[in-house]
Amino acid sequence: YNTYNQYLETMQNARAQQEAEKREREKWANREGGAALKETIDEGRNYIKTIKAANDALPEEEISEKLEQLEQVTTKIFDYVELHPEKLPGIRKFMSYYMPITLKLVTAYQRFDQHGTNTSEIEDTKLEIKGTLDTINKAYQNLLKKLMQADILDVSSDISALETILAQEGLTEDEITDKRR
């Protein structure tokens, strides 16, 4: 009886896994440019995993904070592009140039750190990489803002329009509550 229940549970889990995979395939297939978008998002998620693995391997707090920030902003970029596929062309250079070089720097830092030989040259290089990570984080945050710029402007103009209409209708004045008293 117990073995049979385990069998049923295993079959149910396998069906659920197949359904989830099917839904994932359909999610991407039904989107315009879905294949290219999925490929980019998957590649981006792999970059993030690599950054996270390097961060987990490095005990030093300062580099860890920089890598955490890098991980967060990079995740936000890929999440945003996944929700707004029309922004995919806006991250081509980011994907083909910036991310690979960033990962190269992160893995180099990790390699230097693991070797344990702290020659002045290695220490200088590690320091330089740390400084560059600050620049990279700022640049990636600016890229995210640039991707979101149209949305930011849309929301700002919606707010202005709503405030203007509410004021014209007399709905924002305190007089309404004063008259009721």
Side-chain angles (χ1 to χ4, degrees), residues 31 44 57 80 105 124 156 166:
R31 296 176 82 169
Y80 189 79
L105 292 174
D124 289 348
S156 289
L166 291 172

Side-chain angles (χ1 to χ4, degrees), residues 120-137:
S120 64
E121 193 175 15
I122 286 178
E123 285 304 310
D124 289 348
T125 303
K126 285 170 58 177
L127 249 150
E128 201 173 347
I129 291 172
K130 277 189 216 173
T132 303
L133 282 174
D134 289 333
T135 305
I136 290 168
N137 280 329

Side-chain angles (χ1 to χ4, degrees), residues 3 7 10 22 26 57-58 60 66 72 74-75 77-78 80 83 90 94 123 133 147 164 166-167 179:
T3 306
Y7 166 77
T10 303
K22 182 182 174 192
E26 287 172 356
L58 294 165
E60 184 192 331
K66 293 173 192 296
Q72 289 171 357
T74 306
T75 299
I77 289 170
F78 289 114
Y80 189 79
L83 291 172
F94 171 74
E123 285 304 310
L133 282 174
L147 291 171
T164 302
L166 291 172
K179 287 179 184 173

Side-chain angles (χ1 to χ4, degrees), residues 88-102:
L88 187 60
I91 65 165
R92 289 204 198 290
K93 197 170 191 178
F94 171 74
M95 290 299 296
S96 63
Y97 187 70
Y98 302 140
M99 279 306 300
I101 287 184
T102 300

Side-chain angles (χ1 to χ4, degrees), residues 16-131:
Q17 178 71 28
Q18 288 171 341
E19 280 297 313
E21 288 171 4
K22 182 182 174 192
R23 279 193 306 276
E24 184 70 11
R25 279 193 306 274
E26 287 172 356
K27 173 180 128 180
W28 294 103
N30 293 334
R31 296 176 82 169
E32 190 177 322
L37 181 63
K38 180 177 178 7
E39 185 180 314
T40 301
I41 298 300
D42 287 347
E43 189 179 344
R45 303 274 185 249
N46 285 331
Y47 282 143
I48 294 164
K49 281 180 194 168
T50 305
I51 294 166
K52 184 162 182 39
N55 194 0
D56 291 344
L58 294 165
E60 184 192 331
E61 196 173 317
E62 186 185 358
I63 189 78
S64 194
E65 285 174 11
K66 293 173 192 296
L67 291 175
E68 211 168 278
Q69 190 180 358
L70 180 64
E71 195 181 321
Q72 289 171 357
V73 71
T74 306
T75 299
K76 286 177 185 174
I77 289 170
F78 289 114
D79 287 349
Y80 189 79
V81 171
E82 184 176 349
L83 291 172
H84 301 88
E86 72 278 5
K87 302 291 183 173
L88 187 60
I91 65 165
R92 289 204 198 290
K93 197 170 191 178
F94 171 74
M95 290 299 296
S96 63
Y97 187 70
Y98 302 140
M99 279 306 300
I101 287 184
T102 300
L103 284 182
K104 187 177 178 183
L105 292 174
V106 168
T107 53
Y109 189 99
Q110 185 182 358
R111 209 172 43 249
F112 291 144
D113 198 65
Q114 288 170 342
H115 285 317
T117 40
N118 290 334
T119 65
S120 64
E121 193 175 15
I122 286 178
E123 285 304 310
D124 289 348
T125 303
K126 285 170 58 177
L127 249 150
E128 201 173 347
I129 291 172
K130 277 189 216 173

